[in-house]
Amino acid sequence: MRSLPLELPLAGVTVVSCEQAVAAPLATRHLADLGARVLKIERPGTGDFARAYDETVHGQSSHFVWLNRSKESVTLDLKSDAAPGVMAALLDRADVFVQNFAPGVAERLGLGAAAVRATRPRLITCSVSGYGSTGPYRDAKAYDLLIQSEAGLVSVTGSAAEPAKSGIPAADIGAGMYAFSGVLSALYDRERTGQGTELEISLFDSLVEWMGFPLYYAGYGGTPPPRTGTSHAAIAPYGTFAAGDGTEVVLAVQNEREWAAFCKHAVARPDWVTDTRFATGSARVANRTTLEAEIGAIFTKLTGAELEARLSAGRIAHARRRDLPDVLAHPQLTARDRFADVATPAGPIRATLPPITLPGRAPRMDPVPALGEHTDAVLTEFGFDPAALRRQGAV
């Protein structure tokens, strides 16, 4: 007897999402990866403004194709007279409602958590905002750079001479991942209690949580951790070093056992283990400049291959500092077959597979939708006449 293929864990879960930009779309794409049906509600004509961030992927936005595969795009003017009826029908059959409107907008549209859950006790709502629904910053603009600045990430990122923002939208990604995990926990809780719940996620709260180590360091140590580029405020040697042929290798020597192995294998200076300048972690940090200069002088006499051979022989934690083209050709990704083709309106693109893997269940890698691609099919499924709504300017 042939066994049926295993379904993905969220098969049968329907998510309705009024989303744009990064945080909420990231959360719902992860839900879609696990099998949920995601109905993405977009503004007629322009859609999610992330569609227009750039044109680098066959004329499409790199952000949008990253965040929106496996979704159904439905256009709907939420300010139109027809919108409340359409949204009510969608939410009546939804398990999860996600929105990242500015604070207060959902309530004005009749889509606030209290309103939509009043007659739908099993519905899970997830509101994603910049600073939360209360407090003096409630209505402040909340772009990723602004949140990184307010949460202190910019203050601890960069070189000693100049701060820098993270090269990826860290606040958006943090909030998206907490929204994703929050929805999963709410779905599990509903299985036990039969009741949905209201989730509230803010970019600011998410990033402040990620700032835990620097906040404790500053709050209890009296001074913030200094900006050290790829180095570490409390560990040395730690960071980027160059071999004589220009190969850049990143070291992370984090305990005394590793330090002894580094001294023996990487620099052939076993005497450094007992050298008072370097014998303890705090001594190495205090004498970081001298230590790094001496390490650098030894490494410049080696090729990258020779240096990596020494580090590997000593089982010393290290990595290559790779540029993005190198990452796309990374041998680990290639060996584990971590890419798949995903269809888009402009042709197939190569995408990385979802990080969550499930033995025996193929990952979901469905197409990135064109704006409004599924409007007619979805509206018809839910009992509406798309042509009539189009004449009303609702879609």
Side-chain angles (χ1 to χ4, degrees), residues 239-312:
T240 306
F241 295 83
D245 60 3
T247 302
E248 291 187 319
V249 174
V250 182
L251 301 177
V253 179
Q254 301 194 74
N255 56 55
E256 298 312 309
R257 177 186 56 77
E258 291 178 350
W259 171 242
F262 178 84
C263 293
K264 176 181 178 181
H265 294 279
V267 292
R269 290 293 304 270
D271 57 298
W272 282 3
V273 174
T274 55
D275 189 318
T276 56
R277 298 173 301 166
F278 312 138
T280 65
S282 57
R284 292 192 292 276
V285 170
N287 294 286
R288 183 195 303 274
T289 301
T290 300
L291 174 62
E292 290 181 348
E294 296 207 23
I295 292 172
I298 294 170
F299 284 1
T300 56
K301 298 175 183 177
L302 305 172
T303 65
E306 290 169 339
L307 174 55
E308 288 193 287
R310 287 191 179 192
L311 295 170
S312 295

Side-chain angles (χ1 to χ4, degrees), residues 133-171:
S133 60
T134 60
Y137 280 70
R138 171 185 182 272
D139 298 314
K141 293 289 187 181
Y143 301 132
D144 187 83
L145 170 60
L146 308 183
I147 299 292
Q148 287 195 35
S149 299
E150 289 285 353
L153 179 58
V154 170
S155 76
V156 298
T157 306
S159 67
E162 187 172 0
K165 74 177 183 66
S166 166
I168 58 174

Side-chain angles (χ1 to χ4, degrees), residues 172-252:
D172 283 307
I173 293 171
M177 294 308 297
Y178 284 118
F180 169 56
S181 58
V183 168
L184 294 181
S185 68
L187 286 167
Y188 178 74
D189 190 54
R190 193 179 70 173
E191 289 299 303
R192 297 186 302 145
T193 67
Q195 297 293 310
T197 192
E198 302 173 19
L199 302 171
E200 183 176 324
I201 310 293
S202 86
L203 275 67
F204 182 70
D205 291 347
S206 299
L207 197 56
V208 167
E209 165 64 22
W210 283 15
M211 289 292 293
F213 139 66
L215 289 173
Y216 279 114
Y217 189 104
Y220 288 89
T223 58
R227 292 188 302 274
T228 54
T230 59
S231 297
H232 194 288
I235 304 173
Y238 191 110
T240 306
F241 295 83
D245 60 3
T247 302
E248 291 187 319
V249 174
V250 182
L251 301 177

